[in-house]
Amino acid sequence: MVGRETETAEIMRRIAADRSRGGVLILTGDPGAGKSMLLDFAAGHARREGGRVLRAAGSESEAHLGFAGLHQLLRPVLAELDSLPPWQRSALRTVLGLEQDTEAPDGVLTGSAVLTLLSDLAEPAPLLVVVDDAQWIDRASLDVLSFVARRMDGEPVTLLLGARAEAAVPGFDKGFERLEIGPLSGGAANRLLDRQPAPPTGRTRVRILQESAGNPLALVELARAAATRPSGGGSVAGPLPVTDRLERIFVEQARFLPEATRRPLLLLAAADATDAATASRGLPDAGDKAWEPAERAGLVRQDGPWISFRHPLIRSAIYHAASFEGRRQAHLALAELSEEPDRRAWHLAAATTRPDEEVSAALRQTAGRARRRGGYAAAAAALERAAELSPRRADQARLLTEAADLAVLTGQLGWVERLAAEVREHSDEPSLISSAALATGRLRSLRRPHAAAFALLTRVAEEAAAVHSPRVLDALAAAAVVRYYSGEEPQRQRIESLLSAVPDLAARGPLRAWVQAVSDPNGAGASLAPVLPGLIAEARDDAGSLTALAVVAWILDQTGLAARTFDEAYDRWQARGSLPDGLGSAVGWTYLDQGRWTEARSVAADISAVASAAGLDHAEACAYALDATALALLGETGDARHGAERALALVDPLESRSIVVFARRALGLAAVAEGDYDTAYAQFRSAFTGDGDPVHYHVSYTVLAELAAASVRLGRREDAADLLERSAWRLGTGMSVRITALLNRGRAVLAERDHAEPYFQAALADDAGEQWPFERAQTRLDYGEWLRRQRRIAEARPLLTMALDTFQRLGARPWMERAKAELRAAGIEAAGSVAPGALTELSPQQRQIVQLAARGLTNREIGERMYLSPRTVGSHLYRVFPKLGITARAQLRDVVEGALSRVGGQGRNPV
């Protein structure tokens, strides 16, 4: 630990026995910097302090095995799974390969299960989770760990990750603190050399200090090599980089080992982390005596019955220095020893150089198991290797196509494109080539530029239409997503033309409805709205169709129906893969529109984490725009602006018009919250061109009422009024209830004083408007203000009271303050007779917990629904009891029912 005083102090601070908090710290540095030693130090310190430790270490050979890292981490506590709720227990057992299920478990449910398990394990004492070489942990395990890491607030669980400085660790690249383990200082490097068994001197010491560049492992190994050279410690020479030099040193050390040691050493190098346990105890000719020379040479270390390499570089050097035949024989031996079919299949594949149907079949079975567990990267990798070993060209193309479909769910566009190219090389079959191209187009639609994705997708659709293939709708569904993102009118026309050419595909109702609604909601709304509930009822057992129809409901402004459908399908929607699918943020916008802002922000956070890790800039921008809007409504204006600006920076404004308008709407709402109406007007006005046409055919119309309200403050009524009426003319009779209400609110605030009331009444006339509580409350606030200024105080008060109650319930603080001011002007002190109680002062998440607890749900059941641990739920309840003026859980029902009765007693619509 020489020279690491600062790092060890920070780690000790992190893992102090604090029952109220945990955290995440990522240790990064070059190979040999000392990350593993610091993690060992942390684990030892935690154990000495009475804590519990779970550990896992990544390896290159396991990176393609889905959930291998999670299995390694949880292996010591598998017996504890029985304490989990049944759904969580089943999901976790399935992904760990402990039981079979017909469907891949929901990723969120799996993450919640691990969160609950870790929380339970930390009950008697703080828990430390240590993951070394995280860059080699399989993607499925990283997804679960990042999900847990973002939800550990209030848990006595600390997560320490070690990763190479240059390596990407998906899910952990943003939002977590990092501790860079840099080179040792000159003084520390000299102190470390002084502590070696044979400290180097003279020119040799100078060269070691130069070549090591402060890398602790290089310092130690170069000093050892200098001391053991036949020349007795001559200088270290040669122009090779440090890593290559170290590998040469390791091989040199291994060269003089006896054959009885070299053979098991190569087997250990060929083994993965799970095999290593078998290797150290059951390899041929691998008794305790066989390891002693390797341990004396500093190549391995022994911990009880377990043997492991002292550093990954040693394993790499030993493995790659061996002949191919030697490596092949090692893998064959490990395949014979392995009782786990997936590892056996991969060892056989590593030992196979020519087509082999049996090995290919074993890999296909491995892919199937990985797919059922939700390990899509592992499944795609197994199918790709199975294709390479398949003796039949037709099977090769088919397997590569299946691999491309699964690789889409990893977000790795380069991989999907390479697989699609290989399909073209191996097959002339149009359906396979088209399917692989479609996989590429689906993934490209989540990136920029969109024009290339649209061209590819419509070409696939055109080719499919020519042969009457049902794939035409699949291609058009993805193309419609691009059309929504871009807002390009020619793209709508192209989709409509292709769609009209395939009338025989009407049976695929949900997908056809998706294409129509996403590409042209105003044109399709009148025909789709009446049949949508029936389509949803028919799709109850089809997760993909149910989700698609929920998106359709959202885009047609049937928000209540969309929310109910998303609530029903949410688990299955997540199970489609960790990748944010086209318009995956629709569930977040639905929750936002319905006033479920905490849930909307949770959706945004999940999509952002996955999209960022996969490099899907457009999907990430969607998430930022969604979160920025929620923050603006909550009055957190600085964070809202930051999020909106990040969204804008990620997209091309000419190819991502929907994101641009969403982000500028968030900026406008933030400006309104601050009373900056000049900025608000400019942002809302940017949703329309100078000629008054919408920048985006769906999103632009949602700012009409806000634009009108801002224009009144600035004396620009004429421009706003012209935009409103131009929009009404363009939309015609097909506009939704929501847009109708927004138009009427806009007309009301723009109208002359004596002509405003009919528009206010029209905006509030339809009870369906309750689907959008914030917008409804804004209209009531405007109407109440108008009535007060007309000196109709008695009529204004109920409207203002209802508006205030909604704003308080949602947590919309800027609008809450405005409503309170209006009530004071109307002769009512909001803090007295109007405040709906302490419940409204809680955060949205705390209110949701209270409401579920009032219904009798246990902390564990609440945690399952909200993806929190039972401990976090309990902590929230402990903190809110004093705020609510209660001392027992049984009193929650009275608090909640009292708040609801106040809302109900005010009536739903006073006009």
Side-chain angles (χ1 to χ4, degrees):
M1 306 305 292
V2 173
R4 297 303 187 197
E5 293 78 12
T6 301
E7 291 85 352
T8 54
E10 175 63 17
I11 290 172
M12 289 180 68
R13 183 181 70 82
R14 291 288 181 150
I15 59 177
D18 186 345
R19 302 286 304 164
S20 66
R21 62 182 294 276
V24 180
L25 182 64
I26 303 173
L27 279 60
T28 62
D30 293 331
K35 301 183 296 298
S36 298
M37 185 170 290
L38 286 166
L39 294 175
D40 287 344
F41 164 81
H45 177 78
R47 290 193 182 100
R48 288 191 297 273
E49 294 296 320
R52 193 168 190 174
V53 179
L54 293 178
R55 300 195 68 168
S59 69
E60 290 178 281
S61 61
E62 279 198 339
H64 56 269
L65 293 173
F67 298 104
L70 190 64
H71 185 275
Q72 186 187 161
L73 187 71
L74 300 182
R75 188 177 182 182
V77 294
L78 291 179
E80 307 287 343
L81 268 59
D82 292 338
S83 65
L84 295 174
W87 285 7
Q88 292 185 353
R89 180 174 64 249
S90 178
L92 194 48
R93 286 182 61 83
T94 297
V95 302
L96 294 177
L98 301 177
E99 65 181 49
Q100 296 292 325
D101 201 346
T102 57
E103 292 187 0
D106 163 33
V108 174
L109 185 60
T110 301
S112 298
V114 175
L115 179 62
T116 302
L117 177 63
L118 297 184
S119 178
D120 289 348
L121 292 172
E123 183 65 34
L127 175 67
L128 175 64
V129 179
V130 177
V131 180
D132 199 1
D133 285 319
Q135 73 277 355
W136 290 330
I137 293 289
D138 63 279
R139 177 61 182 275
S141 296
L142 283 176
D143 287 343
V144 173
L145 288 173
S146 65
F147 176 94
V148 171
R150 295 176 190 280
R151 291 163 176 81
M152 293 199 316
D153 181 41
E155 299 289 342
V157 180
T158 300
L159 174 60
L160 297 182
L161 274 78
R164 292 190 174 181
E166 75 282 0
V169 183
F172 289 93
D173 55 344
K174 296 179 182 178
F176 298 106
E177 290 189 51
R178 307 176 85 84
L179 181 62
E180 177 65 30
I181 313 301
L184 293 176
S185 67
N190 274 294
R191 291 200 306 274
L192 182 58
L193 288 178
D194 289 339
R195 295 191 181 192
Q196 300 312 301
T201 59
R203 183 170 181 268
T204 298
R205 187 181 186 102
V206 172
R207 289 297 306 276
I208 289 174
L209 289 169
Q210 289 175 341
E211 294 287 340
S212 67
N215 183 287
L217 180 64
L219 284 162
V220 171
E221 299 303 336
L222 290 171
R224 179 180 285 117
T228 57
R229 280 179 178 272
S231 59
S235 65
V236 179
L240 295 175
V242 171
T243 300
D244 293 341
R245 184 184 304 280
L246 286 173
E247 289 189 359
R248 291 281 186 91
I249 292 169
F250 298 144
V251 173
E252 185 72 19
Q253 290 173 303
R255 182 179 302 168
F256 299 102
L257 296 175
E259 175 63 25
T261 299
R262 291 205 305 272
R263 172 172 162 73
L265 198 63
L266 176 57
L267 287 168
L268 187 64
D272 57 33
T274 301
D275 287 330
T278 302
S280 62
R281 290 180 288 111
L283 290 179
D285 304 320
D288 291 341
K289 297 295 183 183
W291 296 112
E292 288 180 0
E295 190 172 14
R296 285 196 301 269
L299 298 175
V300 301
R301 56 186 164 203
Q302 188 164 0
D303 183 10
W306 315 117
I307 301 292
S308 61
F309 285 107
R310 290 183 54 250
H311 192 276
L313 288 175
I314 304 175
R315 175 176 180 264
S316 175
I318 298 296
Y319 182 81
H320 291 290
S323 67
F324 174 78
E325 181 59 25
R327 296 197 298 268
R328 194 177 78 84
Q329 290 300 325
H331 284 294
L332 287 174
L334 289 169
E336 285 294 321
L337 287 169
S338 180
E339 297 178 357
E340 209 283 312
D342 292 343
R343 289 185 171 84
R344 182 176 184 276
W346 276 108
H347 281 306
L348 288 173
T352 304
T353 60
R354 63 187 64 183
D356 188 311
E357 178 56 32
E358 288 188 12
V359 179
S360 179
L363 286 170
R364 294 198 297 272
Q365 292 172 358
T366 289
R369 286 187 288 268
R371 177 165 30 195
R372 287 190 293 273
R373 296 195 302 267
Y376 299 105
L383 286 172
E384 183 179 14
R385 182 63 174 141
E388 293 171 355
L389 295 177
S390 178
R392 291 183 290 274
R393 191 166 182 265
D395 289 342
Q396 293 172 2
R398 177 179 55 79
L399 292 170
L400 288 168
T401 302
E402 292 178 21
D405 284 337
L406 286 172
V408 168
L409 296 171
T410 72
Q412 299 179 49
L413 179 60
W415 188 12
V416 176
E417 289 178 330
R418 179 171 57 78
L419 289 168
E422 291 184 18
V423 171
R424 292 193 298 272
E425 291 177 7
H426 286 79
S427 177
D428 297 324
E429 173 60 41
S431 63
L432 293 179
I433 295 173
S434 176
S435 180
L438 177 57
T440 304
R442 285 174 55 204
L443 197 49
R444 281 186 183 174
S445 70
L446 298 176
R447 296 172 178 256
R448 57 179 185 180
H450 291 312
F454 188 83
L456 174 59
L457 290 166
T458 50
R459 177 172 59 78
V460 171
E462 188 173 36
E463 293 171 353
V467 295
H468 303 287
S469 167
R471 189 169 287 108
V472 62
L473 273 181
D474 296 309
L476 288 179
V481 173
V482 179
R483 147 70 173 161
Y484 187 87
Y485 289 154
S486 71
E488 287 278 2
E489 177 61 16
Q491 291 181 353
R492 180 196 65 78
Q493 296 170 357
R494 179 73 173 134
I495 291 171
E496 189 176 276
S497 173
L498 287 167
L499 191 62
S500 64
V502 285
D504 56 317
L505 295 176
R508 299 182 70 185
L511 205 55
R512 194 180 189 96
W514 166 284
V515 174
Q516 292 173 315
V518 171
S519 59
D520 185 18
N522 190 55
S527 60
L528 285 179
V531 302
L532 190 55
L535 289 173
I536 291 173
E538 294 172 4
R540 293 300 180 198
D541 297 326
D542 186 335
S545 295
L546 200 60
T547 303
L549 292 169
V551 176
V552 170
W554 165 72
I555 212 166
L556 295 182
D557 283 334
Q558 296 194 27
T559 305
L561 178 62
R564 291 191 299 273
T565 307
F566 273 128
D567 286 343
E568 182 176 339
Y570 188 69
D571 288 345
R572 296 191 177 198
W573 176 70
Q574 288 283 356
R576 297 173 70 190
S578 59
L579 175 72
D581 206 344
L583 292 182
S585 61
V587 64
W589 290 114
T590 298
Y591 291 158
L592 185 91
D593 293 340
Q594 206 181 36
R596 297 160 62 176
W597 294 350
T598 299
E599 292 170 86
R601 294 200 65 199
S602 178
V603 170
D606 290 341
I607 292 177
S608 178
V610 174
S612 174
L616 303 176
D617 43 16
H618 197 274
E620 188 177 6
C622 288
Y624 279 130
L626 170 60
D627 193 54
T629 306
L631 288 168
L633 295 172
L634 291 166
E636 299 178 28
T637 55
D639 290 340
R641 279 194 297 272
H642 180 66
E645 288 162 359
R646 291 184 74 177
L648 291 171
L650 284 168
V651 299
D652 181 339
L654 297 180
E655 287 208 330
S656 299
R657 291 178 176 86
S658 62
I659 298 301
V660 170
V661 178
F662 272 131
R664 295 206 174 278
R665 185 178 74 168
L667 291 170
L669 289 168
V672 170
E674 294 177 331
D676 181 2
Y677 292 101
D678 280 307
T679 299
Y681 179 83
Q683 296 294 348
F684 296 139
R685 182 62 180 81
S686 69
F688 295 86
T689 67
D691 294 333
D693 295 329
V695 169
H696 190 268
Y697 62 93
H698 180 242
V699 189
S700 288
Y701 297 120
T702 63
V703 309
L704 284 171
E706 296 289 357
L707 174 64
S711 73
V712 170
R713 301 270 184 169
L714 301 175
R716 300 180 181 177
R717 294 172 181 263
E718 289 187 8
D719 182 49
D722 180 64
L723 278 173
L724 252 67
E725 297 313 318
R726 182 186 290 268
S727 297
W729 174 83
R730 181 183 292 273
L731 291 168
T733 59
M735 72 180 74
S736 67
V737 171
R738 180 189 186 186
I739 299 302
T740 300
L742 292 176
L743 275 169
N744 280 318
R745 179 194 165 207
R747 285 165 171 159
V749 298
L750 289 170
E752 296 295 331
R753 178 174 298 183
D754 295 338
H755 300 132
E757 188 162 26
Y759 295 121
F760 279 126
Q761 292 175 335
L764 294 169
D766 195 330
D767 283 346
E770 299 294 341
Q771 296 175 82
W772 308 283
F774 178 75
E775 293 170 4
R776 192 78 158 177
Q778 284 181 299
T779 303
R780 285 177 173 140
L781 176 58
D782 288 339
Y783 190 12
E785 182 181 13
W786 181 86
L787 287 169
R788 182 188 63 77
R789 291 179 177 178
Q790 294 292 97
R791 301 187 183 279
R792 294 160 59 179
I793 305 299
E795 296 174 75
R797 287 172 177 170
L799 284 162
L800 296 173
T801 299
M802 293 175 72
L804 175 59
D805 181 76
T806 299
F807 294 142
Q808 287 179 316
R809 176 168 53 85
L810 297 176
R813 293 194 175 277
W815 288 267
M816 188 192 314
E817 295 305 317
R818 182 182 156 199
K820 286 181 179 179
E822 284 297 325
L823 276 166
R824 285 193 295 271
I828 297 179
E829 188 58 45
S833 60
V834 186
L839 185 63
T840 60
E841 297 302 321
L842 304 181
S843 71
Q845 185 181 59
Q846 289 173 332
R847 285 199 299 274
Q848 190 174 0
I849 290 172
V850 166
Q851 289 164 354
L852 292 173
R855 288 164 49 187
L857 275 69
T858 65
N859 288 1
R860 190 174 291 274
E861 290 169 335
I862 295 170
E864 286 186 63
R865 291 199 178 198
M866 298 184 65
Y867 310 118
L868 301 170
S869 74
R871 184 195 305 275
T872 299
V873 174
S875 177
H876 278 298
L877 289 173
Y878 177 79
R879 292 196 295 267
V880 303
F881 276 20
K883 296 179 182 180
L884 299 176
I886 62 175
T887 58
R889 195 183 188 103
Q891 296 172 279
L892 287 173
R893 183 174 180 180
D894 293 337
V895 172
V896 172
E897 289 183 350
L900 292 175
S901 66
R902 281 192 295 273
V903 176
Q906 292 166 354
R908 289 173 62 86
N909 187 357
V911 297

